[in-house]
Amino acid sequence: MTGEIYKQALARLDKAASYAKIDPEAVEKLRHPKACLEVSIPVRMDNGTLKIFTGYRVHHNDLRGPTKGGIRFHPDVSLDEVKSLAFWMTIKCAVVGIPFGGGKGGVIVDPKELSRMELERLSRGYIEQIASFIGPETDIPAPDVYTNAMIMGWMMDEYSKIVRRLSPAVITGKPIPLGGSQGRDDATARGGYYCIKELEKKRNWDPKEIRVAVQGFGNAGQFIAEMLHRDGYKVVAISDSKGGIFRPQGFDVPSVIHVKNNSKELQAVYCEGSVCQLVEATQITNEQLLELDVDILIPAALENQITKQNAARIKAPVIIELANGPTTFEADDILQRKGTLIVPDILANAGGVTVSYFEWVQNKSGFYWTLEKVHQALEEIMVREFNYVYSVMESHQCDMRTAAYIHALNRQAEAVVAMGTHHYFSQQDTNKITVAAMS
Ligand code: GLU
């Protein structure tokens, strides 16, 4: 059965397919994930009881390379969501032109309710269940919402034990001493940051006049807020899953990060050294943050935040989607009519998977890059693909998401044509062509 999120994902595919030069058979193939695995993961809890968790891993499409995509630990994980996220990974890898298809995984769990040892047992148990479904040449997981480098390290170790061979290339986003890459930690945010820097040039922005609101203060949200703050942008609103803070003069972002990471509380603070004091700010909800009068809105949390219910009230003229799927299909139309520029998730947050690709290359070659080399290679890809998508948007007079899909579908189409399409196989003199080509 096709759920609501996946239906929305397919609606965007259909919209873009009408513009792209792609064979209808290839579009049809993209509508169906290649394989979906559901597993039960028994975990012995600290109090001695046994708890069974449900997990998924989906391979969406592997025409352009092994499937690639993160693993999410969240109470709202569902097969429908994992399928959609895997689909977006196929499109995302094609947008930035890295040789991967799309995959995704997830476990239904609230990791905040687990002890550290329970979390390790769950992470290893999940890999035990999906080990034959993943591999360095077939499907390569990575971190996603509520999973991190340490969890990737445990998962790599578990997989290596199962196959009896050290296999760092099976998973990316690992800690650096366990084969991780320099620069993978802030890569998702950095990719979005490079997009903003390109927009800054196009729109002649003076950073100190640009007000930014960031929804979600995990990995991506913290790093982007910090990078923009360093460049002089005014980060005026920040939220986490419990709510947000708003301050028209802007926040001292490093202080807010310091307190959040030490106390788990999001507080309006200014710190000098280790001494922090509260500064004046307004408490807001996540919904209010989205509707603030700011210049850039950065959703960096979960999907379905900007919907047909609140889209008309969104004031930000520019939205940078660091989360996957924060805007629904209907909301896109409303914002498009208002002239809002949305840099879509499949481009804006592609920095993460791009550095994952660099990590995988380093693991396979056994030669490790410097941070400078990672930044340089990431910037080159992001700037090139951002500008290409922007030019497609202008030439097709469409929104930037549709432009990114067109670009991705054209890349997918090149691979489809190389394998032979309906047009090729329906020709009568197929054998003659083959023989001629071989002689
Ligand atoms: N979870 C990230 C994403 O959605 C990264 C995936 C990866 O590195 O493979 O793009």
Side-chain angles (χ1 to χ4, degrees):
M1 204 190 81
T2 304
E4 197 41 45
I5 318 181
Y6 197 68
K7 259 193 228 151
Q8 293 237 354
L10 294 185
R12 286 200 174 120
L13 172 67
D14 291 335
K15 181 174 171 190
S18 61
Y19 291 87
K21 297 185 282 296
I22 185 164
D23 191 271
E25 286 179 358
V27 178
E28 185 54 26
K29 221 165 160 195
L30 285 172
R31 301 176 71 84
H32 306 277
K34 186 176 178 217
C36 304
L37 177 68
E38 177 177 328
V39 294
S40 302
I41 313 153
V43 176
R44 183 68 62 194
M45 306 303 278
D46 291 349
N47 67 5
T49 60
L50 188 77
K51 208 165 161 183
I52 313 285
F53 294 88
T54 302
Y56 306 99
R57 184 77 196 165
V58 170
H59 299 166
H60 176 261
N61 184 282
D62 61 359
L63 184 61
R64 299 184 60 264
T67 51
K68 182 87 192 81
I71 296 165
R72 172 173 294 206
F73 282 179
H74 195 276
D76 297 337
V77 161
S78 65
L79 181 58
D80 180 47
E81 182 193 53
V82 178
K83 269 165 64 178
S84 311
L85 289 160
F87 167 80
W88 289 325
M89 289 307 301
T90 301
I91 304 294
K92 193 186 299 186
C93 293
V95 168
V96 285
I98 56 176
F100 286 137
K104 202 82 179 192
V107 176
I108 306 173
V109 59
D110 183 355
K112 292 176 192 161
E113 286 175 2
L114 300 186
S115 73
R116 288 177 182 192
M117 281 195 266
E118 288 167 345
L119 188 62
E120 180 177 355
R121 289 195 286 269
L122 174 66
S123 305
R124 289 181 182 276
Y126 174 64
I127 291 301
E128 200 186 323
Q129 300 303 328
I130 67 163
S132 55
F133 204 61
I134 59 173
E137 269 80 42
T138 51
D139 177 33
I140 305 132
D144 197 73
V145 173
Y146 292 154
T147 52
N148 57 25
M150 184 178 263
I151 293 177
M152 298 305 112
W154 294 331
M155 290 181 167
M156 182 274 282
D157 182 56
E158 190 63 29
Y159 181 84
S160 296
K161 279 183 187 156
I162 292 168
V163 300
R164 305 199 71 74
R165 175 178 342 117
L166 183 65
S167 304
V170 72
I171 202 159
T172 59
K174 301 177 293 295
I176 290 172
L178 299 179
S181 175
Q182 297 285 346
R184 178 61 185 85
D185 52 356
D186 71 7
T188 304
R190 186 169 290 276
Y193 169 77
Y194 291 139
C195 295
I196 295 176
K197 295 310 270 182
E198 288 309 290
L199 273 179
E200 184 182 299
K201 285 186 231 156
K202 287 187 190 296
R203 300 201 163 192
N204 281 322
W205 280 340
D206 175 3
K208 61 181 185 305
E209 277 164 14
I210 304 293
R211 298 155 304 160
V212 183
V214 182
Q215 188 204 36
F217 215 46
N219 173 292
Q222 289 191 9
F223 280 119
I224 192 103
E226 195 171 27
M227 287 172 198
L228 293 176
H229 174 79
R230 209 180 301 138
D231 279 5
Y233 283 82
K234 246 199 263 179
V235 179
V236 296
I238 298 171
S239 68
D240 66 9
S241 58
K242 288 176 256 155
I245 46 180
F246 170 58
R247 186 170 198 258
Q249 310 89 309
F251 288 105
D252 182 56
V253 175
S255 300
V256 182
I257 292 178
H258 173 77
V259 170
K260 163 87 186 173
N261 291 345
N262 285 303
S263 69
K264 304 264 173 273
E265 296 296 323
L266 180 64
Q267 285 181 346
V269 283
Y270 179 75
C271 307
E272 261 183 44
S274 56
V275 184
C276 299
Q277 43 178 296
L278 288 171
V279 294
E280 207 180 309
T282 314
Q283 298 291 326
I284 52 170
T285 62
N286 263 295
E287 294 71 40
Q288 286 169 327
L289 179 136
L290 296 172
E291 296 172 20
L292 287 174
D293 177 19
V294 292
D295 303 294
I296 304 180
L297 173 63
I298 307 184
L302 291 169
E303 55 267 14
N304 293 346
Q305 300 300 302
I306 304 174
T307 63
K308 63 172 187 260
Q309 272 77 31
N310 63 1
R313 295 193 299 275
I314 305 278
K315 297 181 195 69
V318 173
I319 299 177
I320 309 288
E321 293 186 337
L322 276 196
N324 285 309
T327 313
T328 64
F329 184 69
E330 294 97 346
D332 260 354
D333 269 353
I334 301 170
L335 292 164
Q336 160 85 351
R337 270 183 260 125
K338 282 173 63 162
T340 311
L341 177 75
I342 303 181
V343 183
D345 48 5
I346 47 172
L347 173 65
N349 74 26
V353 72
T354 302
V355 178
S356 275
Y357 166 52
F358 301 158
E359 181 172 332
W360 180 76
V361 167
Q362 292 170 75
N363 292 150
K364 287 176 79 74
S365 69
F367 180 78
Y368 286 82
W369 302 4
T370 61
L371 181 61
E372 290 68 38
K373 177 163 174 175
V374 170
H375 285 175
Q376 197 190 2
L378 176 63
E379 183 171 10
E380 197 183 306
I381 291 181
M382 292 306 303
V383 169
R384 186 184 64 217
E385 303 304 332
F386 175 90
N387 284 303
Y388 190 80
V389 171
Y390 202 92
S391 70
V392 173
M393 170 180 81
E394 289 180 328
S395 59
H396 284 73
Q397 297 195 338
C398 61
D399 58 290
M400 204 165 179
R401 188 186 318 279
T402 304
Y405 269 86
I406 294 171
H407 182 34
L409 291 181
N410 286 341
R411 275 205 171 119
Q412 185 79 9
E414 287 168 10
V416 171
V417 170
M419 281 283 192
T421 60
H422 170 74
H423 174 72
Y424 173 80
F425 286 109
S426 54
Q427 288 187 354
Q428 295 308 316
D429 52 354
T430 309
N431 288 337
K432 264 191 269 162
I433 292 169
T434 314
V435 172
M438 285 168 62
S439 59

